Amino acid sequence: AQSVTQLGSHVSVSEGALVLLRCNYSSSVPPYLFWYVQYPNQGLQLLLKYTSAATLVKGINGFEAEFKKSETSFHLTKPSAHMSDAAEYFCAVSVPKTQGGSEKLVFGKGTKLTVNP
Amino acid sequence: KAGVTQTPRYLIKTRGQQVTLSCSPISGHRSVSWYQQTPGQGLQFLFEYFSETQRNKGNFPGRFSGRQFSNSRSEMNVSTLELGDSALYLCASSLPGIHTEAFFGQGTRLTVV
């Protein structure tokens, strides 16, 4: 079964510091991976997605993620944290249904990012 | 372009009651999915509808049901509410095809007392 594991439920960084949020996946087929961000009392917003076109994926707000098959990882990074990056981040894998053309997203437990001034 | 709209944003219900939540997808999106988000279980898939047909269903009891209308709007219903049903319910819409981006609404916060 396809799944994702996010290491660290809470990450705290200083403003201007590197942001690194970890995600490892488990999949028997080439995975389609996503990172979403959720601000308080809001829905989820897509940051970036990996669909096998390129291993380094650039997203919105300066975030990027690198797909490493050998490590089964898809970690999210941002060179310099901003106060507005404080939110919860979710890694997800797309799981297709074997029949019916449907799919669902399976999410990690999330990582809450705190940015200190 | 209007985003995914969920109504109401907040609901308070009593145990044993039933509730209906509504989701209007982005224009042109025919696939609508529902997710439950709780602090303990995280984000869990409820079901997905496409062209008024349920194509996929998660591991939730039969008290959770949904439907989709011809205009792609969707509703989900929870009957005989339990305290554990308190959660943020998120709706997402997407274009046809696999691995397409899911656009999420702001969610409906359901509190069962």
Side-chain angles (χ1 to χ4, degrees), chain A residues 10-114:
Chain A
H10 290 84
V11 169
S12 182
V13 300
S14 298
E15 191 173 19
L18 171 72
V19 175
L20 171 60
L21 304 181
R22 300 177 187 273
C23 173
N24 287 89
Y25 69 89
S26 172
S27 177
S28 56
V29 298
Y32 284 79
L33 297 161
F34 303 80
W35 274 101
Y36 282 86
V37 61
Q38 186 178 35
Y39 297 100
N41 297 315
Q42 298 294 318
L44 301 174
Q45 181 183 12
L46 181 69
L47 280 174
L48 49 82
K49 63 180 179 181
Y50 168 75
T51 56
S52 77
T55 56
L56 183 62
V57 182
K58 294 188 183 297
I60 62 172
N61 302 340
F63 284 94
E64 62 182 38
E66 186 172 7
F67 175 76
K68 291 186 176 180
K69 185 178 179 180
S70 60
E71 299 177 8
T72 62
S73 68
F74 190 56
H75 301 332
L76 182 71
T77 60
K78 181 173 181 178
S80 177
H82 192 273
M83 297 294 289
S84 60
D85 294 327
E88 191 158 18
Y89 293 79
F90 294 91
C91 182
V93 61
S94 174
V95 179
K97 194 179 174 188
T98 50
Q99 292 181 347
S102 176
E103 62 182 12
K104 64 181 180 182
L105 291 171
V106 173
F107 289 89
K109 292 292 189 183
T111 297
K112 191 161 290 187
L113 176 67
T114 301

Side-chain angles (χ1 to χ4, degrees), chain B residues 1-55:
Chain B
K1 192 174 188 181
V4 178
T5 303
Q6 292 188 244
T7 56
R9 288 291 313 276
Y10 302 92
L11 265 179
I12 300 176
K13 290 287 187 178
T14 304
R15 271 182 301 174
Q17 287 186 312
Q18 74 164 11
V19 67
T20 299
L21 313 181
S22 180
C23 172
S24 293
I26 292 172
S27 178
H29 288 194
R30 292 164 60 193
S31 172
V32 174
S33 299
W34 288 88
Y35 292 83
Q36 181 196 64
Q37 185 178 22
T38 59
Q41 299 299 317
L43 282 151
Q44 293 186 287
F45 172 76
L46 279 157
F47 26 65
E48 186 252 351
Y49 287 87
F50 180 81
S51 293
E52 303 178 66
T53 301
Q54 186 184 89
R55 296 196 302 182

